[in-house]
C-alpha cells in the first residue's frame, strides 16, 4: 500500500529460488517459483503463503551455508519486461555458483542453462541484466560477508547488508525505496522522484484512503 500510494500504477512480481537439490522448495528439476506481474500486493502475499504451505514450513532459515541458484533466478527474471522503470529487490544469504564450481548442484544448473541456451558465465549474466536498465538492489544477510559475496552483487547494482529479521528487512527496504524516490539524503533517480504534496493529493482524492481515514 505504501508503494501504491506513491505509484498507483505499479506492478508487482515475485520470484522465490533455492538450489537444484533443495527439497525445502519441493523441486524436481527447476528451483524457481514465480508469480507473474499483478497490481495487487495481496496477490504476492497469497503466492508466498502458498509456497510456504506447499513446503510445509521447510523453507531455509539459517542462511550463509553455500551457493544457491542465483544465476538461474536472474536469467528467469530477465524474461520479464524489464526497463529503466523496473526496480528489483533481491534478498539472498549466499553467493551464486561460481564459474569454476564443479559441485553437483552447479553441474545441474549448467545442464539446465545448456537446455535453455543461456550463458552460465557470471559476467555475461551481469552484462545481460545491465542492458535492461533495471535498478537492482541486493539485500544480503550479514553471514554473506563470510563468503565475500558482496563483490558478486556489486557488479549488478547496490548491495546492502542487513539482519534477516522481518523488522530489519522492512525497515531497510523502505529506506532504499525512499532514497530512490529522492526522499532521503540523495537526490534519487529522476523517474522515481516524488514530493510529499503528491502523496497528499493522492490521499485526498483516493476513495480507499478516505474510507480508511
Amino acid at each position: 500500500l505504501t508503494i501504491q500510494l506513491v505509484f498507483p500504477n505499479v506492478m508487482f512480481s515475485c520470484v522465490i529460488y533455492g538450489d537444484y537439490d533443495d527439497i525445502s522448495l519441493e523441486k524436481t528439476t527447476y528451483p524457481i517459483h514465480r508469480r507473474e506481474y499483478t497490481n495487487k500486493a495481496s496477490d504476492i502475499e497469497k503466492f508466498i503463503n502458498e509456497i510456504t504451505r506447499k513446503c510445509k514450513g521447510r523453507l531455509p532459515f539459517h542462511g550463509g551455508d553455500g551457493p544457491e541458484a542465483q544465476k538461474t533466478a536472474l536469467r528467469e527474471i530477465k524474461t520479464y519486461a524489464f526497463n529503466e522503470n523496473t526496480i528489483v529487490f533481491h534478498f539472498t544469504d549466499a553467493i551464486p555458483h561460481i564459474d569454476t564450481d564443479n559441485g553437483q548442484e552447479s553441474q545441474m544448473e549448467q545442464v539446465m542453462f545448456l537446455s535453455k541456451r543461456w550463458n552460465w558465465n557470471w559476467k555475461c549474466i551481469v552484462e545481460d541484466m545491465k542492458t535492461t536498465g533495471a535498478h537492482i538492489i541486493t539485500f544480503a544477510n550479514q553471514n554473506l560477508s563470510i563468503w565475500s559475496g558482496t563483490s558478486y552483487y556489486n557488479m549488478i547494482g547496490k548491495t546492502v547488508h542487513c539482519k534477516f529479521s522481518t523488522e530489519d528487512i522492512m525497515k531497510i527496504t523502505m529506506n532504499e525505496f525512499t532514497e530512490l524516490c529522492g526522499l532521503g539524503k540523495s537526490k534519487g533517480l529522476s523517474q522515481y522522484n516524488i514530493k510529499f504534496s503528491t502523496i497528499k493529493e493522492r490521499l485526498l482524492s483516493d476513495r480507499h484512503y478516505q474510507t480508511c481515514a
Side-chain angles (χ1 to χ4, degrees), residues 15 17 68-71 73-74 77 87-96 122 135-141 144 149 152-153 156 158-160 162 164 173:
V15 172
Y17 68 89
E68 303 288 354
Q70 282 90 345
K71 289 182 175 180
L74 288 173
I77 65 174
I87 301 175
V88 178
F89 289 149
H90 173 218
F91 300 90
T92 185
D93 56 27
I95 63 172
W122 179 252
H135 304 281
I136 303 175
I137 300 177
T138 296
F139 298 89
N141 186 297
L144 188 58
Y152 290 97
Y153 302 117
I156 298 179
K158 183 177 181 180
T159 304
V160 180
C162 63
F164 268 20
T173 301

Side-chain angles (χ1 to χ4, degrees), residues 49-190:
N49 289 338
E50 178 65 14
I51 296 299
T52 303
R53 185 189 65 79
K54 288 182 177 180
C55 296
K56 301 177 182 178
R58 294 180 311 213
L59 289 172
F61 60 91
H62 43 78
D65 58 348
E68 303 288 354
Q70 282 90 345
K71 289 182 175 180
T72 304
L74 288 173
R75 284 298 189 190
E76 184 71 28
I77 65 174
K78 174 63 169 53
T79 63
Y80 285 24
F82 272 21
N83 56 43
E84 66 277 5
N85 293 320
T86 304
I87 301 175
V88 178
F89 289 149
H90 173 218
F91 300 90
T92 185
D93 56 27
I95 63 172
H97 293 291
I98 61 176
D99 298 340
T100 57
D101 185 354
N102 291 317
Q104 179 181 354
E105 300 91 342
S106 177
Q107 291 180 25
M108 293 171 69
E109 187 173 49
Q110 291 181 61
V111 170
M112 179 62 69
F113 268 56
L114 284 173
S115 70
K116 291 179 174 288
R117 297 185 178 181
W118 290 343
N119 192 319
W120 194 68
N121 179 271
W122 179 252
K123 289 185 178 180
C124 290
I125 295 173
V126 169
E127 291 303 316
D128 202 22
M129 294 300 295
K130 286 182 177 179
T131 62
T132 66
H135 304 281
I136 303 175
I137 300 177
T138 296
F139 298 89
N141 186 297
Q142 291 179 336
N143 291 339
L144 188 58
S145 60
I146 298 175
W147 300 90
S148 301
T150 301
S151 60
Y152 290 97
Y153 302 117
N154 280 343
M155 295 172 67
I156 298 179
K158 183 177 181 180
T159 304
V160 180
H161 283 276
C162 63
K163 295 180 180 179
F164 268 20
S165 66
T166 302
E167 180 180 355
D168 286 335
I169 288 176
M170 287 294 295
K171 184 184 298 182
I172 201 165
T173 301
M174 290 311 302
N175 284 344
E176 292 300 319
F177 177 69
T178 54
E179 286 287 332
L180 286 174
C181 294
L183 297 177
K185 296 179 181 178
S186 66
K187 294 183 179 180
L189 299 172
S190 58

Side-chain angles (χ1 to χ4, degrees), residues 4-72:
Q4 286 184 315
L5 175 62
V6 181
F7 302 107
N9 298 320
V10 68
M11 298 289 286
F12 303 95
S13 180
C14 181
V15 172
I16 297 176
Y17 68 89
D19 208 351
Y20 283 81
D21 67 340
D22 190 351
I23 62 170
S24 66
L25 288 179
E26 292 191 345
K27 292 180 288 291
T28 53
T29 58
Y30 203 53
I32 302 295
H33 293 274
R34 60 184 282 180
R35 176 59 170 86
E36 302 300 332
Y37 278 119
T38 175
N39 61 358
K40 296 179 180 179
S42 59
D43 289 343
I44 300 299
E45 183 179 3
K46 290 178 182 178
F47 167 73
I48 295 174
N49 289 338
E50 178 65 14
I51 296 299
T52 303
R53 185 189 65 79
K54 288 182 177 180
C55 296
K56 301 177 182 178
R58 294 180 311 213
L59 289 172
F61 60 91
H62 43 78
D65 58 348
E68 303 288 354
Q70 282 90 345
K71 289 182 175 180
T72 304

